[in-house]
Amino acid sequence: MALSVSSIATLTLTRFSSSYFNRISKRFSSRAPTNTHNRPQMSFSSSSPTEPKQSEKISAPYGSWKSQITADVVSGASKRLGGIAVDSLGRLIWLESRPSESGRAVLVREPDRPEGESVDITPKDYAVRTLAQEYGGGAFSVSGDTLIFSNYKDQRLYKQSLSSNDSSPVPLTPDYGGPVVSYADGVFDARLNRFVTVQEDRRQSSTNSTTTIVTVGLDGKNIREPEVLVGGTDFYAFPRLDPKGERLAWIEWCHPNMPWDQAQLWVGYISDSGEVHKRICVAGSDPTIKESPIEPKWSSKGELYFITDRKSGYWNLYKWVESDNEVISVYSLDAEFSKPLWVFGINSYEFIQSHEQKNVIACSYRQNGRSYLGILDDAQGSLSLLNIPFTDIDNITLGINCLYVEGASEVDPLSVAKVTLDEDKSKAVDFKIIWSSSPDCLKYKSYFSLPELIEFPTEVPGQTAFAYFYPPSNPNYQATHDEKPPMLLKSHGGPTAESRGILNLSVQYWTSRGWAYVDVNYGGSTGYGREYRERLLKKWGIVDVDDCCSCAKYLVGSGKADGERLCITGGSAGGYTTLAALAFRDTFKAGASLYGVADLNMLRAETHKFESHYIDNLVGSEKDYYDRSPINFADKFSCPIILFQGLEDKVVPPDQARKIYKALKEKGLPVALVEYEGEQHGFRKAENIKFTLEQQMVFFARLVGRFKVADEINPIKIDNFD
């Protein structure tokens, strides 16, 4: 449910005359095709005036403003980053997902010369993506001139040479006749010429797969079944070899825990024949210490570092003293130096070489809704911050005399920057964007609404929660007298995830048209420590819903939004919060659920192994499962809802959306369902990203907005309304 990656009182719907809205003449199909030529060709627009000069401003109702940040711009700027690496020559390699190619993920190498062009490494017939644990991540690894990657279509591992542009990938793992065995988070074992990786085997069961750490031979001549190196536990991640290839560290955890609830860090000693012959549990075995270790990494001197949240409840850096089998703190701070393991391949810190040959660590941490990049001197226990434009950082990769940082800010979209350090490795002397998810976005800078981090009171006396608020912003328009803007509240997925205050053109799509927008980090979100994260245990569908409603009411009370035009949206777990808020509260007047959960029992029965016990910790008793499932209380819904669903979704299967759609249609509420062929959990195709955004906009405008949208949008039919 991580992607984001989302009432009891009576609502009187405002119906508009046919002269105000174009009526829909064709029946709405519950399976809306992705081909726009097959969609109903009706228009829904206003005769908006030509955009004025910058010195003028038009007074127009909120929501009706015309913006250059169109749905086409948003969908075209929706590239995703799937990881970065550096080859033997120090050139950056990144994995980008392209909506214009139906979400195909391609490895790209930076140009050899500054004036050159980047080069696609992945051949046309391949796509780099793993389906391990459904959310994937860690789909490729680079060592010198050798690349190992997971191919999306068959999920096999392939080896490819980076020294030749016409090198064809060579398969390393068997062909099982379909994508039933996946690999992720692998590392090279130079000592034994093999690849050590996490394997998820779904041949026996798609919902109860077997996860192990395996080895794959690299000679490429004889394809053999991977050999199991470590097995017997439900889940594994972060297999990491020491510099000599003699010790392997890894993270493991068991049901019903998620990796951020309780996990263990192990070290195994590897024999000359390549087997693990001795094991030591480094962290997580003491029942008196509640912790979730993550990101083990060996220094060049063979010392094991890792991140865990023991004692303080914050993910901080620690080190293992092997001689005493003791764990010691490297640096303590009430901040998060890592994040929940939703995807493989997280890399929050790197060892960098210094003249004194001491351990100097480049690391990032998150505190009070902002990220920081710092240099940690292990010997002195000191941390100095680097001054860079990014206020949000995901991963760090070590380059030659530099760092490559995945990050963003309130005016920078998701990007990769090259950060050059001084000789002392204590200051950043240069900062250069190498890759951007939206390289042309600065042309729309005059439209940008900058986020305001707000802290608002919750239903629990004395307790607060957090959100990012974006006010309406358009250089060409101003509101009509005394009008408050409609507001869209987003509930993020996970629910163990975090909203970030960074430039996102899908947010700017709303604010530049005159909407207020708020992105809520309800109790249960990450980024604020274990105690904040555990507010949601046994209370999913209560705390998250209450916090979203409290945030909306707080902003209405502050005069920043119109209380009669509050809408809510969310994907996956955020879709569940959306549906629960609409069923069990009366705060919002309409909602949009993207691949959201309607039936908790159905989710528990049908979802994949990784999350199959997740909601047991979030919900509780059988009665709670029933009482918190919106589908069981269709009579409590009283406002319009639009649903979007991928038909290949294995995390939240399509029956969830169909079930809630049918119930609301029979109740007589305005409702619409859009289903996408070929989409999984989260939409990757540009045309579907665009369609979803536009249909939310026109749906809310027609039913609660009291304005005409400025864009040419062909609205789908709304049952019980059209």
Side-chain angles (χ1 to χ4, degrees):
M1 296 175 288
L3 291 180
S4 67
V5 219
S6 11
S7 77
I8 299 174
T10 302
L11 170 70
T12 302
L13 295 176
T14 304
R15 290 187 176 271
F16 300 96
S17 67
S18 59
S19 62
Y20 198 89
F21 291 117
N22 293 308
R23 309 298 288 179
I24 296 176
S25 58
K26 296 184 180 180
R27 290 290 299 168
F28 166 66
S29 168
S30 63
R31 179 169 297 188
T34 58
N35 187 336
T36 55
H37 295 293
N38 293 330
R39 291 190 178 121
Q41 298 299 302
M42 284 69 66
S43 67
F44 179 72
S45 64
S46 69
S47 53
S48 297
T50 304
E51 288 199 30
K53 297 178 181 179
Q54 288 294 101
S55 59
E56 304 173 3
K57 283 214 173 188
I58 292 177
S59 293
Y62 284 118
S64 68
W65 302 349
K66 189 173 181 63
S67 171
Q68 293 182 13
I69 303 176
T70 65
D72 282 308
V73 169
V74 175
S75 62
S78 297
K79 288 183 186 177
R80 299 185 184 187
L81 189 64
I84 58 178
V86 176
D87 70 8
S88 60
L89 298 178
R91 295 173 298 189
L92 180 69
I93 295 170
W94 63 87
L95 178 61
E96 66 177 42
S97 173
R98 298 172 175 171
S100 61
E101 297 182 33
S102 298
R104 176 173 173 257
V106 179
L107 283 165
V108 185
R109 185 176 61 210
E110 71 172 319
D112 296 326
R113 301 179 305 278
E115 67 276 8
E117 294 185 359
S118 57
V119 178
D120 284 5
I121 297 172
T122 307
K124 292 290 186 182
D125 295 335
Y126 296 83
V128 181
R129 183 182 166 197
T130 176
L131 295 176
Q133 291 183 180
E134 288 302 319
Y135 299 116
F140 73 100
S141 297
V142 174
S143 179
D145 291 326
T146 302
L147 162 69
I148 306 294
F149 70 89
S150 176
N151 185 45
Y152 173 56
K153 186 175 182 180
D154 56 16
Q155 289 295 287
R156 300 173 73 185
L157 286 181
Y158 287 78
K159 181 172 74 170
Q160 185 178 355
S161 172
L162 297 176
S163 58
S164 174
N165 289 333
D166 59 356
S167 173
S168 298
V170 176
L172 295 176
T173 53
D175 183 356
Y176 298 110
V180 292
V181 178
S182 299
Y183 308 89
D185 211 13
V187 292
F188 289 81
D189 183 352
R191 173 189 170 208
L192 298 173
N193 191 33
R194 61 185 184 175
F195 192 65
V196 180
T197 182
V198 175
Q199 180 194 71
E200 183 183 23
D201 189 342
R202 299 179 295 276
R203 283 177 288 179
Q204 298 299 318
S205 172
S206 61
T207 57
N208 190 26
S209 57
T210 300
T211 303
T212 52
I213 297 175
V214 301
T215 63
V216 177
L218 290 178
D219 58 25
K221 297 177 182 178
N222 300 310
I223 298 177
R224 299 184 297 271
E225 191 77 21
E227 297 182 3
V228 175
L229 192 61
V230 180
T233 299
D234 289 324
F235 302 100
Y236 295 93
F238 294 104
R240 299 294 184 261
L241 285 162
D242 74 4
K244 295 181 179 179
E246 296 174 347
R247 293 169 296 174
L248 177 73
W250 70 86
I251 299 294
E252 64 179 51
W253 68 98
C254 300
H255 284 318
N257 292 313
M258 297 300 282
W260 51 84
D261 294 326
Q262 188 80 26
Q264 293 182 336
L265 167 61
W266 287 79
V267 169
Y269 295 82
I270 302 174
S271 66
D272 292 338
S273 61
E275 298 175 344
V276 173
H277 65 89
K278 177 185 175 184
R279 305 183 187 190
I280 294 177
C281 186
V282 173
S285 63
D286 187 340
T288 65
I289 300 177
K290 195 174 187 180
E291 65 178 321
S292 51
I294 192 173
E295 294 196 63
K297 187 172 294 188
W298 300 91
S299 73
S300 59
K301 295 186 289 186
E303 298 171 303
L304 181 63
Y305 288 71
F306 62 100
I307 295 172
T308 190
D309 59 347
R310 59 170 56 192
K311 297 181 181 179
S312 72
Y314 288 91
W315 277 309
N316 285 186
L317 271 163
Y318 286 80
K319 180 169 64 175
W320 178 48
V321 181
E322 184 177 12
S323 58
D324 301 323
N325 190 23
E326 180 186 2
V327 171
I328 61 174
S329 172
V330 174
Y331 193 81
S332 296
L333 188 68
D334 286 351
E336 302 282 36
F337 282 75
S338 190
K339 56 190 175 184
L341 202 167
W342 278 107
V343 298
F344 292 104
I346 299 171
N347 200 50
S348 303
Y349 67 102
E350 284 276 21
F351 296 103
I352 57 179
Q353 297 298 320
S354 68
H355 297 305
E356 295 83 7
Q357 296 300 309
K358 59 185 178 181
N359 286 329
V360 177
I361 303 169
C363 57
S364 66
Y365 66 86
R366 195 149 177 83
Q367 187 178 52
N368 299 326
R370 190 187 192 279
S371 295
Y372 300 86
L373 179 66
I375 301 296
L376 175 61
D377 186 325
D378 184 13
Q380 297 183 5
S382 62
L383 179 66
S384 57
L385 297 181
L386 299 179
N387 185 17
I388 64 171
F390 287 164
T391 57
D392 190 278
I393 296 170
D394 270 335
N395 294 300
I396 303 170
T397 297
L398 184 65
I400 298 177
N401 298 319
C402 69
L403 297 169
Y404 289 103
V405 179
E406 301 173 37
S409 75
E410 58 189 17
V411 293
D412 297 300
L414 176 62
S415 307
V416 179
K418 181 178 182 180
V419 180
T420 304
L421 304 177
D422 64 1
E423 290 188 3
D424 294 331
K425 314 298 182 187
S426 60
K427 295 181 180 179
V429 296
D430 191 38
F431 179 92
K432 180 182 179 182
I433 299 292
I434 303 297
W435 175 89
S436 172
S437 60
S438 179
D440 299 327
C441 69
L442 284 181
K443 68 175 67 172
Y444 310 110
K445 189 173 182 179
S446 63
Y447 289 86
F448 290 171
S449 174
L450 302 183
E452 173 192 349
L453 179 63
I454 62 171
E455 185 173 1
F456 59 90
T458 70
E459 292 288 316
V460 179
Q463 186 185 83
T464 60
F466 305 91
Y468 294 99
F469 174 72
Y470 300 80
S473 176
N474 188 306
N476 304 312
Y477 290 88
Q478 62 187 8
T480 51
H481 184 63
D482 289 337
E483 185 192 11
K484 302 299 182 186
M487 186 174 75
L488 181 62
L489 181 145
K490 181 190 173 187
S491 171
H492 67 65
T496 308
E498 181 188 1
S499 296
R500 306 286 187 102
I502 63 175
L503 179 62
N504 183 337
L505 289 185
S506 65
V507 174
Q508 305 299 326
Y509 175 83
W510 294 91
T511 56
S512 64
R513 282 163 176 74
W515 281 74
Y517 191 103
V518 63
D519 208 346
V520 183
N521 276 316
Y522 49 79
S525 304
T526 191
Y528 300 90
R530 179 181 282 267
E531 183 179 345
Y532 192 87
R533 197 167 68 240
E534 291 187 345
R535 286 185 187 179
L536 208 59
L537 294 182
K538 306 301 182 185
K539 294 183 179 179
W540 189 33
I542 298 175
V543 168
D544 51 323
V545 172
D546 283 343
D547 286 358
C548 286
C549 293
S550 294
C551 181
K553 293 173 183 176
Y554 172 79
L555 290 168
V556 170
S558 302
K560 294 182 177 180
D562 182 350
E564 295 304 312
R565 293 188 290 173
L566 297 177
C567 299
I568 183 171
T569 187
S572 190
Y576 166 72
T577 301
T578 293
L579 293 173
L582 296 173
F584 305 126
R585 307 289 189 277
D586 61 0
T587 304
F588 301 98
K589 310 308 179 185
S593 170
L594 284 66
Y595 39 93
V597 178
D599 187 329
L600 294 173
N601 269 311
M602 183 184 293
L603 176 68
R604 179 171 56 173
E606 296 183 350
T607 197
H608 58 136
K609 180 184 177 182
F610 178 57
E611 293 183 88
S612 59
H613 292 268
Y614 180 30
I615 58 174
D616 289 341
N617 288 332
L618 294 175
V619 180
S621 69
E622 291 300 320
K623 184 177 184 299
D624 292 327
Y625 270 88
Y626 183 88
D627 289 346
R628 295 188 211 160
S629 293
I631 190 61
N632 298 325
F633 299 91
D635 60 308
K636 292 182 179 290
F637 283 96
S638 59
C639 65
I641 299 175
I642 186 168
L643 306 127
F644 300 88
Q645 179 69 43
L647 292 177
E648 294 183 13
D649 193 337
K650 295 181 181 178
V651 178
V652 180
D655 281 348
Q656 294 263 332
R658 291 170 179 166
K659 195 173 178 183
I660 198 76
Y661 165 71
K662 181 181 178 182
L664 297 180
K665 183 179 178 181
E666 291 176 352
K667 178 177 168 59
L669 282 175
V671 64
L673 170 63
V674 179
E675 294 183 321
Y676 296 123
E677 297 278 3
E679 291 284 18
Q680 297 173 328
H681 198 62
F683 306 145
R684 289 174 168 80
K685 298 179 181 179
E687 62 268 29
N688 296 341
I689 296 170
K690 174 188 176 182
F691 193 70
T692 301
L693 192 58
E694 288 185 332
Q695 292 306 319
Q696 286 185 80
M697 172 67 74
V698 75
F699 184 86
F700 293 148
R702 298 184 69 195
L703 293 167
V704 301
R706 300 199 299 272
F707 58 81
K708 296 183 290 185
V709 296
D711 307 89
E712 292 284 345
I713 299 176
N714 301 322
I716 58 174
K717 180 180 182 295
I718 302 171
D719 290 286
N720 299 321
F721 184 73
D722 292 308

